[in-house]
Amino acid sequence: MAGVQTAVALREQGFDGPLTLLGAEPHQPYDRPPLSKAVLLGKAEDSAFDVDFEGLGIELRLGTEVTGLRAADRELDTEAGPVPYEVLVLATGAEPLTLPGTEGVPGVHLLRTLDDAARLRPVLATAPRAVVVGAGWIGAEFATAAREAGCAVTVVEAADRVLAGALPAEVAEPMARWYEEAGAELITGAKVAGIEEGRVLLADGRALPAGAVVVGIGARPATGWLAGSGVERGPDGSVTADAYLRTSLPGVYAVGDCASFPSGRYGKRLLVHHWDNALQGPRTVAANILAEVGAAAGGAGEVYDPVPYFWSEQFGRFVQYAGHHGGADTLIWRGDPAGSAWSVCWLRAGALVAVLAVGRPRDLAQGRRLIETAVPVDPAKVADPATPLKSAAA
């Protein structure tokens, strides 16, 4: 997503020089969100981007894995030989975390790529008993698809609650009930000791039968290939980009899941593994490349400081989130979390900094605008679900 959008944005913004898009996968570039939904359930064959690469003059080199970067020569190393660059954009995304000892075990799956979805689709069609390791966003989405396919599903989470790394306990608590309502078994506080063909072994001695096992325990930036390149990376492995999405090397930018950036809005460095970041960041990268070498050479450049946004479809609910609630000092509910539609708002120093909306898309859209403007809000109006959130501006 980030690589394709950067290439398209460069053309849209006036760059007319040679433009090459390298990708390790052999498939036409595709969108990832449908993989856990329509593609997995056989409702769509693929999710290729509707982009006329040839018409845009974008050279696609598919099935080309990049193995190294030599900044002094301004060259990339690939299996097919070196590729020179004038300006380079790193958009390698993230790779899923795996459970140690599960490599090669039959029936164990990840869900990150089109090939992953293609391997899982016929498995789901046989409606096996599936075990999902990880009760995060991807775990919930897969469990949703598996239940829709008629599979019995057990979700195992090492933490004591769902979405432990993403949301506060009080906010995640009502979301845990969705599993039972959908007919999925949820086991929290349970560590996986090992996986054998046909079963998952828990640390407490239990063995869960499993015709298929899907591991969804998070992802890390796919940046290992940059070791020794001179590109600065953080403790989490992300490329340490600056406010203009430039890396520590001249002429090299980074965008999407592989890159962290300093947020002036939130006063900290953010690593955002979500679709919208891979859509918005490339527009900034393209503008800054043109300010450096292209049609707008000599421009001041554009700072990247978005309000992060993502969505998830799970258990018949549309969940959206905007902002960043770390550092918030006030949490306000809008509506009853036992109901089908409700929201949570986070404030800091009287201004809205994040909103989670379940079945309330207007709250999300209006809340996102309030976050962008950073205006103070009236907590009483925020707490009233009948009052439009935009009316809460003080």
Side-chain angles (χ1 to χ4, degrees):
M1 177 70 174
V4 168
Q5 291 299 326
T6 300
V8 171
L10 279 164
R11 288 296 189 231
E12 289 178 345
Q13 294 181 32
F15 180 71
D16 58 5
L19 187 51
T20 302
L21 187 60
L22 301 173
E25 293 183 67
H27 312 289
Q28 282 289 115
Y30 59 88
D31 206 8
R32 292 191 189 280
L35 298 184
S36 60
K37 306 171 185 71
V39 174
L40 185 61
L41 291 172
K43 299 177 181 178
E45 282 303 309
D46 60 36
S47 55
F49 290 115
D50 184 17
V51 174
D52 182 3
F53 293 102
E54 185 176 354
L56 289 172
I58 299 170
E59 180 187 356
L60 281 183
R61 297 192 192 179
L62 304 176
T64 303
E65 183 173 358
V66 178
T67 57
L69 164 59
R70 289 177 286 109
D73 300 322
R74 293 218 170 192
E75 283 188 340
L76 294 168
D77 291 322
T78 78
E79 296 167 328
V83 176
Y85 67 85
E86 180 183 357
V87 175
L88 174 66
V89 179
L90 307 176
T92 48
E95 54 195 4
L97 298 173
T98 59
L99 281 173
T102 61
E103 294 81 2
V105 177
V108 178
H109 300 267
L110 300 169
L111 183 52
R112 182 74 182 183
T113 69
L114 184 60
D115 287 339
D116 291 337
R119 282 188 289 265
L120 260 171
R121 188 162 60 187
V123 175
L124 282 192
T126 66
R129 178 172 292 277
V131 172
V132 182
V133 182
W137 300 113
I138 190 64
E141 290 185 5
F142 176 79
T144 299
R147 288 299 297 138
E148 187 174 334
C151 301
V153 178
T154 300
V155 180
V156 178
E157 169 59 50
D160 60 358
R161 57 189 174 86
V162 304
L163 295 166
L167 294 173
E170 62 186 301
V171 177
E173 190 274 330
M175 302 169 84
R177 294 195 292 266
W178 301 350
Y179 288 78
E180 183 179 0
E181 293 172 8
E185 180 184 11
L186 174 64
I187 303 175
T188 57
K191 294 186 177 180
V192 173
I195 299 178
E196 300 175 349
E197 185 174 2
R199 63 179 189 163
V200 174
L201 308 176
L202 302 184
D204 62 10
R206 282 180 287 178
L208 307 176
V213 179
V214 175
V215 178
I217 56 175
R220 61 177 169 231
T223 59
W225 66 280
L226 289 167
S229 67
V231 172
E232 181 184 342
R233 293 180 292 163
D236 55 12
S238 65
V239 175
T240 305
D242 68 7
Y244 301 91
L245 298 181
R246 300 174 301 204
T247 74
S248 55
L249 294 180
V252 181
Y253 295 76
V255 67
D257 289 8
C258 72
S260 65
F261 57 90
S263 171
R265 187 188 310 277
Y266 292 105
K268 66 175 297 183
R269 181 166 287 276
L270 299 181
L271 174 61
V272 181
H273 280 187
H274 293 298
W275 185 91
D276 191 65
N277 182 49
L279 174 67
Q280 304 296 340
R283 297 167 183 167
T284 298
V285 165
N288 289 336
I289 289 174
L290 288 170
E292 181 181 347
V293 301
E302 188 176 300
V303 169
Y304 187 59
D305 194 7
V307 174
Y309 165 76
F310 77 90
W311 81 95
S312 176
E313 296 177 72
Q314 50 184 269
F315 306 119
R317 293 166 173 86
F318 188 44
V319 183
Q320 296 172 283
Y321 178 96
H324 177 71
H325 63 268
D329 53 43
T330 305
L331 185 152
I332 300 175
W333 290 89
R334 280 172 63 83
D336 182 0
S340 59
W342 48 274
S343 298
V344 176
C345 296
W346 286 269
L347 277 57
R348 185 181 66 211
L352 190 68
V353 292
V355 59
L356 172 76
V358 177
R360 292 179 64 97
R362 287 185 180 177
D363 279 2
L364 189 289
Q366 295 176 16
R368 192 177 186 181
R369 285 193 287 272
L370 287 174
I371 297 169
E372 288 170 347
T373 57
V375 297
V377 294
D378 182 339
K381 292 180 179 179
V382 171
D384 181 4
T387 299
L389 202 49
K390 63 182 178 181
S391 301

